[in-house]
Structures are given as structure tokens and as C-alpha cells.
Amino acid sequence: MKLLQCLSVLASSALLARSVLASPAASPRLPDTKNTQATASKREENQENEKKEDKPSDPRYFHEPGGNMYLNHYDHMMRSYLIFFHEKNLETWIAHGSLLGWWWNGKMLPWDWDIDTQVPDQTLYYLGENYNQTTYQYRAAGEAKIRNYLIDVNPHFREREHGDGANFIDARWIDMDNGLYIDITGLSELDPATKPGVWSCKNFHDYRTADIYPLRDTFFEGVPARIPYAYDKVLLDEYHEKALVVTDFEGHRWDATRREWLRVQDQAVTPRHDGPHLGSKALRRRAAPEQQQQQQQQHSPAEKAT
Ligand SMILES: *[C@@H]1O[C@H](CO)[C@@H](O)[C@H](O)[C@H]1NC(C)=O
């Protein structure tokens, strides 16, 4: 997955690569049949519940028509990860498609099935030595359910070279309910003697120290997060200008008023200039009060750019 992504980036077709990699069909996130079945039955359960009630029992849990129920898991997974790293004072920042999502509205791109974070190699070592196989219990605000996440550190994380390509992912933050996970990639100064200040991940992304540090404090999915200092340069290098400009993507359209990526299908049933309370059911769910509040609290990426 990562290899493909990187090679495609090298071939300057990041957007194409995303359209392939980001599609659910190409998702690597269904690790085994058991989990797939479990998830499928949960999905049916959710759809059942949705039929029964006009509005979801918890407004934060909207289910898109056609059902992309994974997004709920993704939100919690991302928040729990960021909160854990924040609590433990461990350095991490959001990367790749997640950083691009932040750039647009401080959230994950709704079609992106890949959550990516990066850590410096020192943090990776520390994680390996102190937190491998640790379970983190997370309870979302206003929710009774406890969610468990497992930290799994790749035993080969100390091999900082590209190697045979089999060990690109250094660590994972795994949702123990369903096996979904966040890819955590370590960055190292591979060759301080001849290439000082060049930080590389195992899959050929290079960054300069000044691209990353000092990290900027921001919010992602409503919780404190960090991003590389030169996030705009990092994004342009990886995705080119198009990804910051194109507002029709992967069946979604950027709604500048709501500052949301909306599915084109949803927009078709709602006049573009409707207020948030006049739209279709699906759109009202998207604009649930807590989400709006969260959005207001979030630092606007556009403001930060100045
Ligand atoms: C983390 O734990 C797993 C499971 O016990 C083990 O296979 C792996 O080698 C450990 N990683 C490190 C870095 O020790």
C-alpha cells in the first residue's frame, strides 16, 4: 500500500494514486474474514436502526445513505490516537491524506480510507520500548461505550533503511473492535554526515528539518493535533497544487459555506444554497449541533496560513 502510494507519488500521479488507493475496494483495512463479517453485520444493524428512527440515536453518528459506517470508527480512532499521544507527551503529527484533509477543514477526507501519522524515530523507539502491546481505553464525550486501541510496534522498526520493502509500517494504532488501524511511520535522519537535516520514512518520502519543525499546534477532528511547520510545502510536494484547488473529487464536492466535503449524490437532492436546517435529512445529520460547535472551535487552516 505505502509502496504503491510512494511510487505513484514519484511518478507525479498522486491524485490518480489516491483515487485508486482511497476507494473502499482497494482498502487494506479488512484484515480477515471474521472481522469483515463482524463489520458487515454491524453495518446491517446500523441500517436497521436507521430505518427504525427518523434521526440517529446519537446525532454525531450519521450514516451516509449508501452507508459509509466506517467513518465513525475512523473519527474515534483518530481522536483516541491524538489524545493518547497528547497525554503521554509523545511527538506525532498528521501526514499524507490526513494532512490534506486537515488543510481543507480540519477533518479527514470522507473518501480517504487511510489515516496516516508520522513520528520521529526517537518516539518510535520509545513507543517500542514502553508501549508495545499497550491497550488504551477511550471513551468519547457523552458516550458510555469504552473503545480499546492497541499499540503494535513492528519488531523491525530499528532497521531504518528501505530494506526489502516488507516493513514499511513502523507501528499501528489498532481498533480492537474491528481491526481498523492507523499507520504510524517513523522519520529518521538516515545520513546525518552527508545529508544533514534530511528526514526520511522507509517509503522514500524525504523532508527537511525546517519542513517539519517547529511543529504547529492545531486541531484535527476536534482534538488537539500537530502538523508540520511547512504543511503547505509538504502538501504541494506530495499532492501538487491540484489537490488544494480541485473541489470535485471522489464523488464529493467541496461546499465552501459549510466547509465540508459533501457527497455529490446528497447535494443533488438539496439546492446548493440551503441553510443547514433546510437540507435533506442526510445533510441535517452532517450539520449536527456538536459537529458545528466543533468546527467553530477548530482553528481554521486558512487562517493559519497567514
Ligand atoms: C511488539 O509485540 C509483538 C507481540 O508480542 C512482538 O511480536 C513484537 O516483536 C514487539 N515489537 C517490538 C518492537 O518489540
Side-chain angles (χ1 to χ4, degrees):
M1 178 80 180
K2 279 301 150 86
L3 176 60
L4 282 175
Q5 194 172 19
C6 281
L7 291 177
S8 312
V9 168
L10 288 177
S12 297
S13 58
L15 284 172
L16 178 65
R18 293 205 70 75
S19 68
V20 175
L21 292 171
S23 72
S27 170
R29 292 186 187 285
L30 299 172
D32 62 45
T33 339
K34 188 167 142 263
N35 283 332
T36 311
Q37 280 163 357
T39 326
S41 71
K42 267 187 218 160
R43 187 194 295 133
E44 279 157 23
E45 198 180 290
N46 281 330
Q47 283 170 349
E48 266 314 299
N49 288 343
E50 243 192 294
K51 269 184 233 155
K52 273 181 225 152
E53 306 162 45
D54 185 45
K55 63 183 176 62
S57 49
D58 181 332
R60 287 166 305 147
Y61 292 85
F62 63 87
H63 301 281
E64 289 188 315
N68 187 351
M69 52 86 67
Y70 294 101
L71 284 176
N72 303 329
H73 296 307
Y74 276 53
D75 294 353
H76 289 305
M77 187 157 61
M78 185 78 249
R79 290 192 196 108
S80 61
Y81 172 92
L82 291 170
I83 290 168
F84 172 82
F85 274 69
H86 189 75
E87 273 176 8
K88 304 291 179 197
N89 208 12
L90 295 168
E91 198 166 86
T92 188
W93 57 90
I94 49 182
H96 305 302
S98 304
L99 185 61
L100 183 59
W102 169 85
W103 188 86
W104 282 95
N105 63 355
K107 297 177 180 185
M108 287 180 279
L109 299 169
W111 60 86
D112 192 359
W113 295 63
D114 223 7
I115 304 184
D116 282 296
T117 63
Q118 291 174 335
V119 297
D121 51 3
Q122 289 308 317
T123 300
L124 198 57
Y125 298 151
Y126 190 82
L127 273 180
E129 277 154 22
N130 297 281
Y131 292 110
N132 190 27
Q133 306 304 309
T134 298
T135 306
Y136 181 65
Q137 298 198 323
Y138 168 75
R139 199 162 67 84
E143 218 190 279
K145 183 179 165 63
I146 304 276
R147 295 162 195 271
N148 293 295
Y149 297 89
L150 177 75
I151 300 173
D152 184 31
V153 183
N154 188 328
H156 302 288
F157 75 101
R158 284 179 192 280
E159 297 160 19
R160 297 310 312 160
E161 302 291 338
H162 300 315
D164 60 4
N167 292 299
F168 278 170
I169 300 308
D170 293 312
R172 281 185 174 147
W173 181 260
I174 303 168
D175 185 332
M176 293 173 81
D177 273 353
N178 49 38
L180 301 175
Y181 55 83
I182 296 180
D183 287 337
I184 308 170
T185 307
L187 292 196
S188 299
E189 213 177 355
L190 283 183
D191 197 350
T194 62
K195 287 194 206 162
V198 176
W199 294 77
S200 312
C201 68
K202 285 193 217 174
N203 44 358
F204 311 100
H205 281 288
D206 280 350
Y207 305 86
R208 306 258 153 198
T209 305
D211 293 344
I212 295 173
Y213 293 106
L215 292 170
R216 291 177 191 264
D217 287 313
T218 182
F219 286 86
F220 191 54
E221 291 292 345
V223 300
R226 292 174 137 189
I227 50 162
Y229 182 76
Y231 58 86
D232 40 2
K233 175 177 181 293
V234 168
L235 285 171
L236 286 170
D237 285 352
E238 185 169 355
Y239 298 109
H240 311 289
E241 217 176 288
K242 261 189 182 172
L244 308 184
V245 174
V246 171
T247 52
D248 268 292
F249 208 67
E250 288 279 330
H252 290 72
R253 183 171 299 143
W254 175 248
D255 184 316
T257 313
R258 294 190 181 94
R259 295 173 51 74
E260 288 275 1
W261 286 98
L262 302 184
R263 295 209 328 174
V264 172
Q265 207 183 310
D266 299 344
Q267 290 187 323
V269 298
T270 313
R272 290 294 306 268
H273 301 295
D274 253 5
H277 299 292
L278 304 171
S280 70
K281 193 160 75 178
L283 288 172
R284 280 205 303 275
R285 284 177 194 173
R286 284 177 176 281
E290 180 173 329
Q291 286 178 328
Q292 285 180 337
Q293 215 176 353
Q294 258 173 18
Q295 257 175 289
Q296 278 156 15
Q297 283 162 6
Q298 276 164 5
H299 229 297
S300 151
E303 282 162 29
K304 288 204 63 124
T306 53

